[in-house]
Structure formats: structure tokens, C-alpha cells
Amino acid sequence: MILAPQMMSDNDDRSNDDGDVGLALKTRPKTKRPPLYKVMLLNDDYTPMEFVVLVLERFFGIGHAHATEIMLTVHKKGLAVVGVFPFEIAETKVQQVMEFARRHQHPLQCTMEKE
Ligand code: TYC
């Protein structure tokens, strides 16, 4: 039904005549980002440097030169963050690295923690 102007309710900009009696609040649409997790490699005395570089290239998509720098940071400092991901991706990276190291009988450790 089309109403004459004098029969319309005193709407403000956000209301309508759809029967919704909800309380109008100033809200942003919910766009909460997922929590992020740091994935770290730990140093050890036995895993070959080239193997660690290969891990960084293969599982983290890092180029050879940067992978070498990160590997040397782990070697010198004891650990380094190699990537930051949502939980399930971080968990998969850790599993992939740990399985790859195990298969090659290297003691390389990869862990994650909430950022
Ligand atoms: N410290 C190892 C070596 O001297 C190299 C290494 C680097 C091992 C990084 C683990 O996450 C690591 N062969």
C-alpha cells in the first residue's frame, strides 16, 4: 500500500516500517580478525644448515637468500619467528616441518605460540 506523506510514521534515517522493534545502537559490523600464531624454528647442534634453509624454502615459501639469513639468525640466537599465521595454518606448518625433519632423522624443532 502506498501511504500519503502525512500518514507515514516519524521515521529517522535508520528505521523503517518493517515491524522490527529492535533497539537501534551504533555498531560496526563484526569483522574480528582471527588470533595469530608465531611459528618458530629452534636451534640445535645437529641439523645441517642446508636442511633448515630447505625447510624455510619449501614450507614457508621463503627465497634462498632470506632463508639463509633466517637460518643463521636461528643458529646464532637460538630461535627465530619464521612466519605468523591463523591457528590451523600455523599448526599445519609445524606438523609438516616436524614430519619432514623426523623422516630425515634430524632433531630440528618447530613450535608455535599465540602472538
Ligand atoms: N646449529 C645448526 C648447525 O650448526 C644449524 C641449525 C640452524 C639448526 C637452525 C637448526 O633451526 C636450526 N648445523
Side-chain angles (χ1 to χ4, degrees):
M1 176 174 64
I2 299 168
L3 296 174
Q6 67 275 16
M7 297 186 67
M8 295 172 79
S9 61
D10 56 341
N11 282 347
D12 67 32
D13 288 342
R14 274 189 285 273
S15 67
N16 54 35
D17 292 326
D18 67 2
D20 191 336
V21 292
L23 180 63
L25 295 172
K26 278 190 179 169
T27 55
R28 305 180 295 304
K30 284 204 180 64
T31 58
K32 246 173 67 193
R33 294 181 298 275
L36 296 177
Y37 290 78
K38 299 180 287 190
V39 173
M40 292 161 299
L41 283 184
L42 308 189
N43 189 37
D44 66 72
D45 292 338
Y46 306 103
T47 303
M49 291 184 173
E50 271 313 315
F51 184 82
V52 179
V53 172
L54 176 60
V55 162
L56 291 166
E57 292 171 343
R58 179 179 295 202
F59 297 110
F60 297 91
I62 299 169
H64 191 76
H66 190 210
T68 302
E69 290 176 358
I70 294 170
M71 180 280 295
L72 285 172
T73 298
V74 178
H75 177 70
K76 289 181 208 162
K77 307 255 186 186
L79 87 179
V81 175
V82 302
V84 177
F85 307 99
F87 182 86
E88 284 189 25
I89 295 173
E91 193 183 40
T92 300
K93 302 278 182 202
V94 170
Q95 286 170 356
Q96 287 172 330
V97 172
M98 293 300 286
E99 172 60 15
F100 190 59
R102 190 202 61 76
R103 267 204 294 135
H104 290 83
Q105 300 189 289
H106 295 312
L108 179 64
Q109 296 292 306
C110 183
T111 64
M112 60 191 271
E113 72 174 40
K114 199 166 180 186
E115 198 177 52

